Amino acid sequence: MAQVVHTESTARDFDFWMGSWTGHNRRLRERLAGCEEWDEFESKSVVRPILGGMGNEDVFITDYAGGYIGMSFRFFDPETRQWVIYWADSRRSGVLEPPVIGSFSGDVGVFEGPDTFEGRPIVVRYTWSGVTTPTPRWEQAFSDDGGQTWETNWVMEFTRGEEQ
């Protein structure tokens, strides 16, 4: 299988994300269960470049659900021009979630990967949008039918926070 090269993505795609952010979160109470009830909560994120700019990390902090800390790690592959994104958090210490992989086209980035949810296989999608605006947005969606349909289960809308 030939590798797809995404000519628009670069190691600078996440430059917009560097610094401190406040997030307004909407998270679906139950996932892949036909639920339409959302919890809303605030979070803080602090983002910095790593690996000489070929990656970045962010620390996510919230009081939601008893409070927890999460981290995303993003790595750019200059050959494929794609990003690989990993997530871990204090609710499941020692577990690095399977990565999502993707790229940007304009101010939208889409990243997908296989995972499991409650023991069944799913596909996870992260979508970044509005990255050229002062209020970028991140969404997470799950598909349990191989990507034919998607359920958005988490939305974060960001504004610049105080530098730390």
Side-chain angles (χ1 to χ4, degrees):
M1 177 190 287
Q3 223 171 9
V4 176
V5 174
H6 300 266
T7 57
E8 288 190 52
S9 257
T10 74
R12 307 226 32 176
D13 288 338
F14 282 98
D15 283 2
F16 76 92
W17 187 224
M18 297 302 112
S20 297
W21 296 87
T22 298
H24 179 75
N25 296 257
R26 292 182 65 239
R27 189 175 184 277
L28 201 57
R29 284 192 181 160
E30 294 181 56
R31 297 172 176 184
L32 298 176
C35 180
E36 295 183 16
E37 295 179 58
W38 294 80
D39 290 332
E40 295 193 34
F41 59 98
E42 302 305 309
S43 63
K44 302 278 186 202
S45 295
V46 179
V47 188
R48 69 180 187 96
I50 58 174
L51 302 175
M54 295 304 288
N56 57 74
E57 69 174 11
D58 71 74
V59 177
F60 169 93
I61 302 169
T62 185
D63 292 332
Y64 174 72
Y68 63 94
I69 299 171
M71 292 187 79
S72 293
F73 301 95
R74 298 173 194 83
F75 305 103
F76 182 71
D77 181 335
E79 260 186 56
T80 63
R81 302 184 76 80
Q82 290 189 306
W83 286 90
V84 179
I85 304 173
Y86 296 89
W87 169 260
D89 69 56
S90 60
R91 296 171 299 180
R92 292 183 43 180
S93 289
V95 175
L96 193 60
E97 299 293 334
V100 293
I101 300 170
S103 60
F104 279 86
S105 180
D107 79 341
V108 176
V110 178
F111 311 88
E112 294 180 1
D115 203 338
T116 58
F117 177 73
E118 295 181 344
R120 64 186 197 227
I122 63 167
V123 181
V124 176
R125 175 188 288 165
Y126 296 169
T127 303
W128 279 98
S129 59
V131 302
T132 59
T133 74
T135 55
R137 177 183 174 112
W138 175 89
E139 297 180 22
Q140 174 179 273
F142 288 175
S143 174
D144 61 359
D145 60 10
Q148 293 180 23
T149 61
W150 293 91
E151 176 188 82
T152 298
N153 58 50
W154 195 345
V155 177
M156 288 192 265
E157 295 174 329
F158 293 99
T159 55
R160 280 278 172 202
E162 294 179 26
E163 292 299 318
Q164 296 182 3

